[in-house]
Amino acid sequence: MSAIPEVLQLLDKIAAVQGVRGAMLATADGPVGATEHAHLQPAVATDVGKTVRRLVVASTTANSPLRELLINFGPSRMMLRPLAEDVLVVLLDRDAETQPVRELLDVEVARMLRVMRGEPEAPAIAVGVHEGDDEVGELLASPLGPVLLEIESVYQTYRKRRGADQAQTRSEMHEQIREWLLCCNPSNYTLPLLLDGLSETMSDDPTGRNGFVGEVQGILRRAGALR
């Protein structure tokens, strides 16, 4: 693996996900990040690295190449993701949500492969930097779209009780999405900030606000944004 700095950055990102115990990269030359990121003793990390690489090679030889493998070990689990000739190993709590890790790896593994091939990185979508609803439309068409539409539906239900029509609530929802885009990168992990912004618009309905927050927190848990 030639892109060692990028690998260490990726391991940092993985380790920051809630429920992740650590991560390392199993390479032909030995494990990368095993001590500092996966908190494994060198001998253990070496054994794990050799084993997972054999699994990936065996699956390829059997003409069934792995995209992901999730293995349970009592109170913990291990997620494996091939990365070119290497294997990403993510150690998780047994009850941890796996979707946030999958979403991160879907993006980062593709980016890492581009870096390894010497290709330019894909340009980021310019959301939140131009006028109109283009940025909101792009976000609603992204993988976050279904969650945002579900939140909007709940928001409309509660605001309707205060006399707001669908156009008014959609306008307020989109305004809060734009504020959210200005303050942070849109992701499952920052959705609670959008919830805070929307709840602030319901100061005229404290009871409804409490109900709205409770329902949306359930949506965020299913999306992996809350435990």
Side-chain angles (χ1 to χ4, degrees):
M1 167 62 69
S2 59
I4 293 299
E6 288 81 5
V7 169
L8 296 179
Q9 291 173 12
L10 174 55
L11 295 178
D12 276 333
K13 292 179 181 179
I14 296 171
V17 177
Q18 191 170 19
V20 172
R21 294 184 174 184
M24 72 176 205
L25 184 72
T27 78
D29 297 323
V32 174
T35 302
E36 62 272 41
H37 293 282
H39 313 295
L40 296 175
Q41 294 296 322
V44 174
T46 298
D47 287 344
V48 170
K50 289 179 179 178
T51 300
V52 300
R53 285 176 58 82
R54 289 191 191 107
L55 282 172
V56 172
V57 170
S59 69
T60 303
T61 303
N63 203 28
S64 298
L66 288 173
R67 182 180 183 274
E68 176 187 294
L69 181 62
L70 193 63
I71 308 172
N72 292 330
F73 297 101
S76 60
R77 58 174 64 176
M78 180 185 293
M79 180 183 287
L80 309 180
R81 276 289 188 97
L83 178 59
E85 301 299 320
D86 305 320
V87 185
L88 276 167
V89 181
V90 183
L91 307 175
L92 301 135
D93 292 329
R94 178 64 179 267
D95 60 351
E97 293 283 347
T98 55
Q99 191 59 29
V101 181
R102 287 194 177 102
E103 291 176 355
L104 173 65
L105 294 181
D106 285 344
V107 173
E108 292 296 332
V109 167
R111 185 184 67 81
M112 289 289 298
L113 291 173
R114 287 195 298 270
V115 170
M116 292 164 62
R117 292 192 296 263
E119 298 175 2
E121 293 196 35
I125 297 175
V127 295
V129 296
H130 53 284
E131 295 182 357
D133 263 0
D134 288 352
E135 70 275 24
V136 176
E138 289 169 352
L139 189 58
L140 292 175
S142 77
L144 281 171
V147 175
L148 293 174
L149 292 174
E150 192 174 0
I151 293 172
E152 181 180 349
S153 177
V154 176
Y155 185 67
Q156 287 182 348
T157 297
Y158 279 92
R159 296 312 283 162
K160 184 177 180 180
R161 300 175 186 178
R162 303 296 294 181
D165 61 24
Q166 185 175 12
Q168 290 173 311
T169 56
R170 175 157 294 172
S171 175
E172 188 63 49
M173 175 79 182
H174 286 195
E175 180 61 29
Q176 289 304 313
I177 289 177
R178 285 190 288 271
E179 291 291 331
W180 178 47
L181 291 172
L182 288 172
C183 79
C184 57
N185 291 323
S187 73
N188 281 346
Y189 316 117
T190 60
L191 279 170
L193 296 177
L194 175 61
L195 171 57
D196 288 343
L198 288 169
S199 69
E200 288 297 319
T201 68
M202 302 177 68
S203 58
D204 61 334
D205 183 16
T207 301
R209 178 167 60 184
N210 290 339
F212 167 76
V213 169
E215 286 197 39
V216 174
Q217 284 177 339
I219 295 172
L220 299 191
R221 287 189 186 93
R222 292 194 295 275
L226 293 176
R227 292 292 298 275

